[in-house]
mmCIF file of all heavy atoms in Angstrom:
data_model
loop_
_atom_site.group_PDB
_atom_site.id
_atom_site.type_symbol
_atom_site.label_atom_id
_atom_site.label_comp_id
_atom_site.label_asym_id
_atom_site.label_seq_id
_atom_site.Cartn_x
_atom_site.Cartn_y
_atom_site.Cartn_z
ATOM 1 N N MET D 968 0.841 -1.186 -0.001
ATOM 2 C CA MET D 968 -0.002 -0.004 -0.002
ATOM 3 C C MET D 968 0.888 1.253 0.001
ATOM 4 O O MET D 968 1.800 1.359 0.792
ATOM 5 C CB MET D 968 -0.888 -0.006 1.244
ATOM 6 C CG MET D 968 -1.772 1.193 1.351
ATOM 7 S SD MET D 968 -2.887 0.970 2.744
ATOM 8 C CE MET D 968 -3.105 2.631 3.207
ATOM 9 N N ALA D 974 -0.128 16.748 0.846
ATOM 10 C CA ALA D 974 0.150 17.552 -0.363
ATOM 11 C C ALA D 974 0.045 16.687 -1.610
ATOM 12 O O ALA D 974 -0.487 17.098 -2.633
ATOM 13 C CB ALA D 974 1.527 18.201 -0.277
ATOM 14 N N GLU D 975 0.579 15.439 -1.548
ATOM 15 C CA GLU D 975 0.504 14.543 -2.703
ATOM 16 C C GLU D 975 -0.948 14.156 -2.988
ATOM 17 O O GLU D 975 -1.345 14.081 -4.150
ATOM 18 C CB GLU D 975 1.336 13.283 -2.465
ATOM 19 C CG GLU D 975 2.829 13.524 -2.454
ATOM 20 C CD GLU D 975 3.606 12.326 -1.953
ATOM 21 O OE1 GLU D 975 3.114 11.600 -1.064
ATOM 22 O OE2 GLU D 975 4.717 12.130 -2.465
ATOM 23 N N ASP D 978 -2.576 17.132 -4.641
ATOM 24 C CA ASP D 978 -2.115 17.240 -6.020
ATOM 25 C C ASP D 978 -2.788 16.214 -6.906
ATOM 26 O O ASP D 978 -3.182 16.522 -8.028
ATOM 27 C CB ASP D 978 -0.592 17.065 -6.102
ATOM 28 C CG ASP D 978 0.151 18.287 -5.604
ATOM 29 O OD1 ASP D 978 -0.470 19.360 -5.448
ATOM 30 O OD2 ASP D 978 1.366 18.158 -5.321
ATOM 31 N N ILE D 986 -6.979 20.916 -12.186
ATOM 32 C CA ILE D 986 -6.683 22.144 -11.476
ATOM 33 C C ILE D 986 -5.219 22.136 -11.079
ATOM 34 O O ILE D 986 -4.741 21.157 -10.512
ATOM 35 C CB ILE D 986 -7.570 22.285 -10.222
ATOM 36 C CG1 ILE D 986 -9.046 22.262 -10.585
ATOM 37 C CG2 ILE D 986 -7.208 23.542 -9.432
ATOM 38 C CD1 ILE D 986 -9.956 22.153 -9.422
ATOM 39 N N GLY D 990 -4.970 26.569 -8.159
ATOM 40 C CA GLY D 990 -6.423 26.560 -8.256
ATOM 41 C C GLY D 990 -6.953 26.889 -9.627
ATOM 42 O O GLY D 990 -8.144 27.045 -9.812
ATOM 43 N N SER D 994 -9.523 21.340 -17.537
ATOM 44 C CA SER D 994 -9.537 19.897 -17.417
ATOM 45 C C SER D 994 -8.658 19.272 -18.483
ATOM 46 O O SER D 994 -8.627 19.739 -19.608
ATOM 47 C CB SER D 994 -10.986 19.385 -17.571
ATOM 48 O OG SER D 994 -10.995 17.999 -17.551
ATOM 49 N N GLY D 996 -8.935 16.411 -20.079
ATOM 50 C CA GLY D 996 -9.625 15.235 -20.588
ATOM 51 C C GLY D 996 -10.520 14.636 -19.523
ATOM 52 O O GLY D 996 -10.707 15.174 -18.452
ATOM 53 N N VAL D 1000 -19.720 16.061 -15.688
ATOM 54 C CA VAL D 1000 -21.161 16.100 -15.462
ATOM 55 C C VAL D 1000 -21.468 17.485 -14.963
ATOM 56 O O VAL D 1000 -20.862 17.980 -14.020
ATOM 57 C CB VAL D 1000 -21.560 15.050 -14.391
ATOM 58 C CG1 VAL D 1000 -23.031 15.173 -14.060
ATOM 59 C CG2 VAL D 1000 -21.227 13.662 -14.861
ATOM 60 N N MET D 1021 -14.366 21.666 3.872
ATOM 61 C CA MET D 1021 -15.673 22.071 3.340
ATOM 62 C C MET D 1021 -16.640 20.926 3.618
ATOM 63 O O MET D 1021 -16.578 19.907 2.953
ATOM 64 C CB MET D 1021 -15.615 22.366 1.864
ATOM 65 C CG MET D 1021 -17.008 22.596 1.266
ATOM 66 S SD MET D 1021 -16.963 23.069 -0.428
ATOM 67 C CE MET D 1021 -16.472 24.757 -0.274
ATOM 68 N N ARG D 1029 -29.001 22.722 0.263
ATOM 69 C CA ARG D 1029 -30.392 23.193 0.188
ATOM 70 C C ARG D 1029 -30.486 24.642 0.677
ATOM 71 O O ARG D 1029 -31.081 25.499 0.003
ATOM 72 C CB ARG D 1029 -31.324 22.305 1.011
ATOM 73 C CG ARG D 1029 -32.813 22.643 0.845
ATOM 74 C CD ARG D 1029 -33.676 21.941 1.845
ATOM 75 N NE ARG D 1029 -33.450 22.432 3.203
ATOM 76 C CZ ARG D 1029 -33.843 23.623 3.670
ATOM 77 N NH1 ARG D 1029 -34.496 24.447 2.881
ATOM 78 N NH2 ARG D 1029 -33.594 23.987 4.919
ATOM 79 N N ASP D 1035 -29.442 31.896 -2.077
ATOM 80 C CA ASP D 1035 -28.804 32.614 -3.188
ATOM 81 C C ASP D 1035 -29.688 32.734 -4.426
ATOM 82 O O ASP D 1035 -29.570 33.703 -5.166
ATOM 83 C CB ASP D 1035 -27.478 31.947 -3.567
ATOM 84 C CG ASP D 1035 -26.430 32.074 -2.473
ATOM 85 O OD1 ASP D 1035 -26.703 32.707 -1.434
ATOM 86 O OD2 ASP D 1035 -25.323 31.535 -2.651
ATOM 87 N N LEU D 1036 -30.540 31.748 -4.657
ATOM 88 C CA LEU D 1036 -31.420 31.785 -5.834
ATOM 89 C C LEU D 1036 -32.839 32.229 -5.468
ATOM 90 O O LEU D 1036 -33.733 32.205 -6.308
ATOM 91 C CB LEU D 1036 -31.469 30.416 -6.527
ATOM 92 C CG LEU D 1036 -30.138 29.949 -7.126
ATOM 93 C CD1 LEU D 1036 -30.267 28.557 -7.704
ATOM 94 C CD2 LEU D 1036 -29.639 30.936 -8.186
ATOM 95 N N SER D 1054 -22.112 12.910 -4.229
ATOM 96 C CA SER D 1054 -23.076 12.882 -5.335
ATOM 97 C C SER D 1054 -24.421 13.397 -4.837
ATOM 98 O O SER D 1054 -24.898 12.970 -3.773
ATOM 99 C CB SER D 1054 -23.252 11.440 -5.857
ATOM 100 O OG SER D 1054 -22.060 10.950 -6.387
ATOM 101 N N PHE D 1055 -25.008 14.312 -5.628
ATOM 102 C CA PHE D 1055 -26.268 14.904 -5.213
ATOM 103 C C PHE D 1055 -27.224 15.042 -6.382
ATOM 104 O O PHE D 1055 -26.804 15.200 -7.532
ATOM 105 C CB PHE D 1055 -26.035 16.307 -4.621
ATOM 106 C CG PHE D 1055 -25.266 16.302 -3.342
ATOM 107 C CD1 PHE D 1055 -23.900 16.466 -3.348
ATOM 108 C CD2 PHE D 1055 -25.917 16.129 -2.125
ATOM 109 C CE1 PHE D 1055 -23.168 16.464 -2.169
ATOM 110 C CE2 PHE D 1055 -25.209 16.126 -0.934
ATOM 111 C CZ PHE D 1055 -23.832 16.292 -0.962
ATOM 112 N N LYS D 1067 -35.835 31.955 -18.849
ATOM 113 C CA LYS D 1067 -34.480 31.473 -19.147
ATOM 114 C C LYS D 1067 -34.533 30.045 -19.667
ATOM 115 O O LYS D 1067 -35.264 29.198 -19.142
ATOM 116 C CB LYS D 1067 -33.600 31.538 -17.895
ATOM 117 C CG LYS D 1067 -33.286 32.957 -17.455
ATOM 118 C CD LYS D 1067 -32.355 32.960 -16.270
ATOM 119 C CE LYS D 1067 -31.897 34.346 -15.898
ATOM 120 N NZ LYS D 1067 -32.927 35.322 -15.721
ATOM 121 N N ASN D 1077 -25.067 26.232 -11.094
ATOM 122 C CA ASN D 1077 -23.634 25.925 -11.069
ATOM 123 C C ASN D 1077 -22.826 27.103 -10.507
ATOM 124 O O ASN D 1077 -21.853 26.896 -9.770
ATOM 125 C CB ASN D 1077 -23.124 25.546 -12.449
ATOM 126 C CG ASN D 1077 -23.651 24.218 -12.917
ATOM 127 O OD1 ASN D 1077 -24.261 23.462 -12.154
ATOM 128 N ND2 ASN D 1077 -23.443 23.906 -14.188
ATOM 129 N N LEU D 1084 -19.036 22.545 -6.066
ATOM 130 C CA LEU D 1084 -18.944 21.592 -7.187
ATOM 131 C C LEU D 1084 -17.533 21.083 -7.405
ATOM 132 O O LEU D 1084 -17.338 19.998 -7.970
ATOM 133 C CB LEU D 1084 -19.475 22.226 -8.478
ATOM 134 C CG LEU D 1084 -21.007 22.391 -8.531
ATOM 135 C CD1 LEU D 1084 -21.431 23.159 -9.776
ATOM 136 C CD2 LEU D 1084 -21.713 21.048 -8.473
ATOM 137 N N LEU D 1085 -16.535 21.792 -6.909
ATOM 138 C CA LEU D 1085 -15.165 21.328 -7.007
ATOM 139 C C LEU D 1085 -14.954 20.052 -6.164
ATOM 140 O O LEU D 1085 -14.042 19.282 -6.429
ATOM 141 C CB LEU D 1085 -14.181 22.385 -6.521
ATOM 142 C CG LEU D 1085 -14.101 23.664 -7.360
ATOM 143 C CD1 LEU D 1085 -13.234 24.708 -6.658
ATOM 144 C CD2 LEU D 1085 -13.577 23.358 -8.753
ATOM 145 N N PRO D 1097 -41.825 28.705 -10.721
ATOM 146 C CA PRO D 1097 -42.955 28.421 -9.828
ATOM 147 C C PRO D 1097 -44.190 27.925 -10.607
ATOM 148 O O PRO D 1097 -44.896 27.025 -10.141
ATOM 149 C CB PRO D 1097 -43.224 29.774 -9.161
ATOM 150 C CG PRO D 1097 -41.874 30.429 -9.144
ATOM 151 C CD PRO D 1097 -41.246 30.018 -10.446
ATOM 152 N N GLN D 1099 -44.210 26.182 -13.482
ATOM 153 C CA GLN D 1099 -43.941 24.808 -13.881
ATOM 154 C C GLN D 1099 -44.084 23.866 -12.678
ATOM 155 O O GLN D 1099 -44.609 22.765 -12.806
ATOM 156 C CB GLN D 1099 -42.529 24.680 -14.460
ATOM 157 C CG GLN D 1099 -42.362 25.341 -15.802
ATOM 158 C CD GLN D 1099 -40.899 25.409 -16.240
ATOM 159 O OE1 GLN D 1099 -40.002 25.618 -15.419
ATOM 160 N NE2 GLN D 1099 -40.687 25.242 -17.530
#
Side-chain angles (χ1 to χ4, degrees):
M968 178 174 150
E975 290 169 327
D978 286 344
I986 301 171
S994 176
V1000 175
M1021 172 175 284
R1029 187 191 68 73
D1035 293 359
L1036 295 177
S1054 297
F1055 294 94
K1067 291 184 174 51
N1077 290 351
L1084 288 174
L1085 295 172
Q1099 291 170 322

